[in-house]
Amino acid sequence: MKQIVIAIDGFSSCGKSTIAKELSKILTYKYVDTGAMYRAVTLYLIQNHIDFNNIQDVINALEKISITFKIDEQTQIQETFLNGENIENEIRVNPRVAGFVSNVSSISEVRRFLVKQQQELGKLRGIIMDGRDIGTVVFPDAELKLFITADPNVRAQRRFDELKAKGNTTTFEEVLANLTKRDYIDSNRDDSPLMKADDAIEIDNSKINQKEQLELILKLVNEKIGLKA
Ligand code: DC
């Protein structure tokens, strides 16, 4: 099968990683959740009491950060490791990570550090990467670019349900406020703001279910893989 790069960008909590994981299973492609990488850097800075506004301290910290991914044998779920420690749960439920990650990801040095690793991971193609700048910056030459959107209230409700299921007590209003704030910072930062690449296909999943969305995307994938296969 032809090995392509599939770039999935879009707003927070649009279900990008759910789509990416489903596709990676079907296509047996590698999957990289770049948001987890920004969350891992944020967690490191929080844990080590590093002031995000002190760029030199942030640069020094980056040298000490190693981010890796491993598939859990039992659950088959991809987990994120920071310097060898499994931080998968922590980066998803720690409200300080959600609160600061957009600020940390606005720092150009952090972006350069992670983009280089992301490009390296996708060098052999056969990869699905989700984030905010994959189709515009990380892989501008991706064969398939998807830009996922959904109504903010629908997204906040999905995220709220997810957190509640994990035992988190954050309210719906807090989730919506965090999501709106992140959308704003992600879309308005100077370095690599979230935007739809000119050649990306936009999918609004507010009113379609996961199965319908997957069918739609698989059709697009097949067109690309079939084209020059
Ligand atoms: O996808 P996520 O919610 O886990 O991403 C967390 C934050 O990381 C998001 O608010 C913006 C940032 N991010 C980014 O700037 N660029 C990416 N490629 C991925 C995430």
Side-chain angles (χ1 to χ4, degrees):
M1 186 171 51
K2 186 172 152 64
Q3 301 286 299
I4 64 168
V5 172
I6 303 177
I8 305 181
D9 289 304
F11 295 100
S12 299
S13 304
C14 275
K16 299 185 295 293
S17 65
T18 306
I19 306 163
K21 280 179 209 158
E22 284 173 336
L23 280 180
S24 84
K25 266 195 209 135
I26 296 170
L27 301 172
T28 58
Y29 270 24
K30 198 151 67 166
Y31 161 55
V32 175
D33 172 357
T34 63
M37 299 171 86
Y38 287 93
R39 286 170 184 266
V41 170
T42 306
L43 180 64
Y44 183 91
L45 299 181
I46 292 171
Q47 283 176 339
N48 292 279
H49 312 287
I50 293 161
D51 176 4
F52 311 149
N53 299 312
N54 186 329
I55 298 301
Q56 195 50 52
D57 282 359
V58 172
I59 294 171
N60 294 344
L62 292 176
E63 286 171 17
K64 300 184 191 116
I65 295 177
S66 157
I67 302 164
T68 47
F69 296 104
K70 267 188 221 153
I71 307 267
D72 181 288
E73 298 275 311
Q74 278 180 351
T75 59
Q76 286 298 302
I77 292 172
Q78 181 168 280
E79 299 188 317
T80 314
F81 288 72
L82 170 62
N83 295 335
E85 191 193 332
N86 188 337
I87 52 155
E88 186 58 33
N89 194 48
E90 181 74 7
I91 56 170
R92 308 290 168 197
V93 301
N94 184 333
R96 298 189 69 205
V97 172
F100 292 124
V101 66
S102 279
N103 301 83
V104 171
S105 51
S106 301
I107 304 170
S108 294
E109 285 76 6
V110 171
R111 303 205 69 81
R112 275 204 294 275
F113 172 75
L114 294 179
V115 166
K116 208 167 126 201
Q117 294 177 35
Q118 291 154 8
Q119 289 172 334
E120 190 61 31
L121 287 166
K123 172 167 93 175
L124 300 176
R125 308 193 94 74
I127 195 162
I128 300 155
M129 209 172 266
D130 81 51
R132 305 291 188 288
D133 59 344
I134 312 304
T136 50
V137 175
V138 184
F139 286 108
D141 63 344
E143 286 83 353
L144 179 61
K145 298 181 187 178
L146 304 173
F147 190 84
I148 315 290
T149 66
D151 179 274
N153 279 295
V154 173
R155 289 190 275 135
Q157 187 64 50
R158 289 179 189 156
R159 181 83 187 116
F160 173 70
D161 292 342
E162 230 173 72
L163 286 170
K164 202 168 148 194
K166 285 184 183 166
N168 192 294
T169 53
T170 314
T171 65
F172 172 81
E173 286 71 26
E174 284 166 340
V175 173
L176 180 62
N178 173 260
L179 196 135
T180 311
K181 180 179 151 226
R182 283 207 283 143
D183 283 355
Y184 182 82
I185 302 177
D186 294 347
S187 310
N188 290 283
R189 65 179 173 227
D190 291 335
D191 191 339
S192 331
L194 165 65
M195 60 175 152
K196 179 182 163 298
D198 290 340
D199 51 349
I201 297 159
E202 184 164 336
I203 297 173
D204 182 334
N205 66 24
S206 309
K207 290 184 183 146
I208 56 171
N209 64 34
Q210 279 184 25
K211 189 168 168 272
E212 289 165 328
Q213 176 170 251
L214 182 64
E215 278 167 10
L216 176 72
I217 295 173
L218 278 178
K219 217 183 266 176
L220 297 170
V221 171
N222 282 330
E223 280 169 18
K224 293 290 173 185
I225 294 180
L227 261 179
K228 293 176 208 155

